[in-house]
Amino acid sequence: MNVSGFDAGNNGSIRMKRLLALFWILTCMLSLVACDKATGSEEPVAGGAVSDMPEVDKNVSGEAEQTQQAIIESISGTIARIDEDKAYNLNEEEVKIIADIIENGSWNTEGTAECANDCKLIIDERTYYYHSECGTFNDKENNQNLPVTAKEKENINVILAHYIILGSE
């Protein structure tokens, strides 16, 4: 007999039962979670085949990231000098920088500015004319203009100078 009063065989049996119980509880919990994610809702599926169930994404945050990525990828942009026919594709980051300035700027709706536009930008199929010396966008279609800040002008001009020669010739 053992000093503590327990038989070594009995103690091992109790541990094994506890491990089996713990394993069973974990299996049940995982089964419930897996079933919840498979249906996509708390409502039971009534009489339908698996093919009748709507497609549900398992990762909501992943879905938001994919949507944001799709928006960034869907933005396209080209740049050309006013006096040339050759256009150059801007990369995604460059388009995003310029599009943010255009979308968040305070447009003057009294007409286009009296600038000597030297650039033609097409962003998501909308045409903007830009004067790199004063930093003004002109939207002839909507008869409005957007003067940018000195810092925005510097950022825009750095991007555009990779593709074309800026300024009037």
Side-chain angles (χ1 to χ4, degrees):
M1 189 163 158
N2 196 342
V3 176
S4 64
F6 289 105
D7 186 355
N10 192 20
N11 194 14
S13 177
I14 292 172
R15 285 186 180 163
M16 182 60 88
K17 287 179 182 176
R18 286 182 182 168
L19 282 174
L20 285 173
L22 182 60
F23 180 76
W24 183 78
I25 291 169
L26 287 172
T27 304
C28 289
M29 290 175 62
L30 290 174
S31 296
L32 290 173
V33 171
C35 290
D36 185 35
K37 286 189 177 188
T39 61
S41 70
E42 295 177 20
E43 299 177 17
V45 177
V50 174
S51 63
D52 294 339
M53 293 174 54
E55 190 71 28
V56 178
D57 281 336
K58 294 179 184 174
N59 185 347
V60 176
S61 65
E63 181 180 298
E65 290 172 13
Q66 289 173 351
T67 302
Q68 290 174 346
Q69 185 64 27
I71 291 169
I72 291 172
E73 288 176 0
S74 68
I75 298 175
S76 62
T78 60
I79 179 66
R81 279 195 52 83
I82 292 291
D83 55 358
E84 295 178 8
D85 292 331
K86 181 150 178 70
Y88 302 90
N89 291 323
L90 300 170
N91 69 41
E92 293 172 14
E93 185 63 28
E94 293 167 335
V95 173
K96 185 180 179 330
I97 291 168
I98 295 172
D100 282 346
I101 293 169
I102 290 172
E103 291 171 10
N104 297 320
S106 296
W107 286 86
N108 297 322
T109 57
E110 295 84 33
T112 58
E114 298 294 324
C115 295
N117 300 312
D118 54 323
C119 306
K120 178 180 176 181
L121 283 127
I122 300 174
I123 297 179
D124 269 352
E125 300 178 10
R126 291 197 56 195
T127 302
Y128 302 96
Y129 296 89
Y130 178 71
H131 185 214
S132 62
E133 291 177 16
C134 72
T136 301
F137 284 102
N138 284 301
D139 180 355
K140 293 180 181 180
E141 183 178 326
N142 296 308
N143 200 31
Q144 59 186 0
N145 71 81
L146 172 66
V148 298
T149 66
K151 181 69 175 164
E152 290 170 333
K153 174 185 151 188
E154 180 182 329
N155 291 338
I156 293 166
N157 288 355
V158 165
I159 292 170
L160 301 182
H162 289 347
Y163 301 96
I164 61 172
I165 297 170
L166 298 175
S168 303
E169 289 186 3

